Amino acid sequence: MKLPPPPRSPDAAQPDITRKQLERLYKRESNYWLLSAVLLIFLSATVILQFLTAGDWLPDTFLLNPQYRRTLSIGLPGLVIVFCLYITSKRREISRLKITLYDQRTLLDRLEERKKELEKTLAELRRVSTLKDNLLSTVSHELKNPLASIHSVSQILITYGDKDAESRDRFYKLISNETKRLSNLVGNLLDLAKIEAGKLVWDLSVQDPRDVLHAALAVSGVLAAERNIVLREETRSELPPLLIDRDRVIQVITNLVGNAVKFTPDGGTITVSARQTTDRGKKVVRFGVRDTGPGVAAEQKDRIFEWFHQAPRADGRKIEGSGLGLAISREIVDHFGGRIWVESKPRQGSEFFFTLPVTPKAEHPAAPADSPSRERPLASVR
Ligand SMILES: Nc1ncnc2c1ncn2[C@@H]1O[C@H](COP(=O)(O)OP(=O)(O)OP(=O)(O)O)[C@@H](O)[C@H]1O
Ligand SMILES: [Mg+2]
């Protein structure tokens, strides 16, 4: 329901007028009114007194007719004072109305503010409720299916495992893939829960972007090789060090390369790049992942970064995954003050970019002589 706009008083044009100033005005008008009333009482008393004493208080030379003189001496000042009294009482009324109007406007403004707050809360509640619904359906579908396949394949292995070595290897691979899928989903769901609760922990350190890129490619390279996809790296110039959470940035790159592998046909090419550039006036390192897949439709370019959103496929088939990877990547990039986006022309592949701002050296924490990034085992990379 939309509330009507608050009525605007003549003072609305002067937003700096305060209630105190209006009260002062009302007090002044009340004083004038009181003065007029006192004068009228004084005049009436004088006239009554004159009648009682029957004395003349205008000089003889002023008017000759005594009756006329008397009428004038009473009527004129009386009329003036009655007029003043009328004017001041009206002005007093107007001042009072202004105060009432001011109070109503303040109340309406407060109501408007409250309404906006409530609308915000409602939108947030709707968002959380949709998130919860998506979470439930994802958990039920994405967890149930791999678990069911693992269960039935294990049953087959238990019963016929020793009979056919070729099928046995196929089944083991299936179990391994499904377990990987499950662990990826659980990791993403945990990240979503931490992000929503504001409990994502950031482990900051100064990192060489090339080193981070290589660590991510070591993980994704295996996936690409399995599908006979060429994974190329284009990083020519020296890159400035970045103050980042190494594992989280690796997570973003593996998400993007993982998607590229998923959507690129067998034998395609994925090109990963990192270069120093400026974005909106800031010095940044820009990472890019280009593929030769189906591309992203214009109307989906923003939506694919929303929680659980998956762009519909041309053949209507369900896309493997839960629609969480890009949303998590966006949260990570946003945290470091960067930007993530996709450029694509349908059927001509797509290129995902993300930037990370270069922090001035002075802001870097004192780092040990050899970079911690080189010491960290790859096993810690998800
Ligand atoms: N390289 C790509 N080419 C075409 N479409 C893509 C590409 N990368 C992402 N998309 C679209 O964006 C959607 C969201 O991607 P996102 O990584 O968030 O989820 P997902 O890969 O479907 O599942 P998850 O990453 O949670 O396992 C994808 O489902 C797909 O529709
Ligand atoms: Mg993904």
Side-chain angles (χ1 to χ4, degrees):
M1 185 189 68
K2 202 162 164 53
L3 282 177
R8 296 282 132 181
S9 75
D11 298 311
Q14 320 158 16
D16 48 347
I17 195 152
T18 62
R19 193 177 196 283
K20 255 203 181 109
Q21 282 170 316
L22 285 172
E23 274 171 2
R24 235 178 279 140
L25 194 74
Y26 175 70
K27 213 166 169 181
R28 208 171 57 213
E29 304 300 350
S30 298
N31 286 344
Y32 289 150
W33 180 84
L34 204 69
L35 189 71
S36 309
V38 168
L39 275 175
L40 191 64
I41 293 167
F42 178 72
L43 185 79
S44 309
T46 315
V47 169
I48 291 164
L49 212 68
Q50 195 200 10
F51 268 118
L52 291 179
T53 54
D56 276 343
W57 45 282
L58 277 178
D60 282 352
T61 49
F62 184 65
L63 285 167
L64 294 174
N65 187 336
Q67 213 181 333
Y68 192 50
R69 271 181 4 211
R70 186 166 292 127
T71 316
L72 267 187
S73 67
I74 302 164
L76 268 184
L79 267 179
V80 172
I81 292 173
V82 166
F83 182 68
C84 286
L85 197 65
Y86 175 76
I87 296 287
T88 50
S89 74
K90 285 292 158 203
R91 287 181 65 116
R92 197 166 159 252
E93 236 172 75
I94 290 172
S95 298
R96 182 71 255 168
L97 279 176
K98 275 184 187 171
I99 292 179
T100 316
L101 214 59
Y102 180 92
D103 287 348
Q104 280 180 355
R105 259 183 50 210
T106 317
L107 195 70
L108 270 175
D109 285 349
R110 242 182 263 152
L111 277 176
E112 194 69 23
E113 258 170 46
R114 191 88 193 95
K115 194 185 132 210
K116 273 187 198 145
E117 274 168 28
L118 285 174
E119 276 172 355
K120 239 197 231 164
T121 316
L122 193 67
E124 181 58 16
L125 282 176
R126 282 210 186 108
R127 192 187 70 82
V128 173
S129 160
T130 319
L131 210 62
K132 203 191 77 202
D133 291 347
N134 285 328
L135 188 77
L136 273 178
S137 71
T138 303
V139 167
S140 52
H141 282 102
E142 298 296 314
L143 284 185
K144 220 174 111 197
N145 296 348
L147 280 176
S149 356
I150 292 172
H151 178 70
S152 39
V153 167
S154 334
Q155 288 298 319
I156 297 172
L157 279 175
I158 290 168
T159 323
Y160 308 104
D162 53 342
K163 296 204 173 121
D164 175 1
E166 200 185 313
S167 314
R168 194 182 53 212
D169 288 350
R170 230 184 50 235
F171 286 150
Y172 281 144
K173 197 155 181 236
L174 202 140
I175 291 180
S176 157
N177 284 347
E178 293 296 276
T179 322
K180 208 155 61 186
R181 218 173 105 188
L182 275 179
S183 110
N184 186 38
L185 174 69
V186 171
N188 280 348
L189 289 175
L190 283 175
D191 281 345
L192 162 64
K194 279 190 212 151
I195 288 168
E196 280 299 300
K199 283 187 180 158
L200 214 56
V201 181
W202 304 96
D203 179 13
L204 291 185
S205 58
V206 180
Q207 296 289 331
D208 174 1
R210 288 172 84 112
D211 188 22
V212 175
L213 193 68
H214 291 156
L217 293 186
V219 180
S220 315
V222 184
L223 296 174
E226 275 173 10
R227 299 264 322 281
N228 210 16
I229 292 172
V230 180
L231 189 56
R232 275 200 344 222
E233 190 204 330
E234 274 179 7
T235 318
R236 289 188 199 106
S237 57
E238 273 298 303
L239 296 172
L242 297 171
L243 183 61
I244 47 170
D245 182 323
R246 178 186 161 90
D247 286 354
R248 289 294 175 191
V249 175
I250 289 176
Q251 186 180 352
V252 176
I253 302 170
T254 43
N255 266 336
L256 296 183
V257 179
N259 281 348
V261 170
K262 186 156 68 176
F263 290 98
T264 300
D266 290 4
T269 309
I270 296 171
T271 313
V272 183
S273 62
R275 55 180 285 224
Q276 184 178 346
T277 177
T278 49
D279 185 37
R280 296 170 181 178
K282 271 194 295 187
K283 241 177 155 187
V284 295
V285 171
R286 194 188 72 187
F287 295 86
V289 178
R290 192 168 66 238
D291 64 46
T292 50
V296 179
E299 71 278 7
Q300 293 290 338
K301 281 184 182 165
D302 288 328
R303 294 211 61 201
I304 55 173
F305 291 94
E306 290 172 11
W307 293 112
F308 296 103
H309 185 80
Q310 295 185 304
R313 274 173 66 132
D315 57 11
R317 268 173 43 216
K318 159 93 180 84
I319 298 169
E320 188 192 302
S322 49
L324 288 172
L326 287 179
I328 293 171
S329 302
R330 190 190 54 185
E331 292 288 336
I332 295 171
V333 173
D334 279 358
H335 177 82
F336 292 112
R339 201 158 71 84
I340 185 165
W341 73 100
V342 59
E343 286 174 14
S344 169
K345 287 197 182 102
R347 288 178 298 282
Q348 289 181 27
S350 44
E351 185 158 15
F352 283 77
F353 294 102
F354 75 94
T355 61
L356 292 173
V358 177
T359 31
K361 262 215 168 81
E363 288 174 32
H364 290 181
D370 56 342
S371 163
S373 65
R374 288 174 206 285
E375 290 172 359
R376 198 177 300 224
L378 266 182
S380 68
V381 174
R382 287 196 303 119

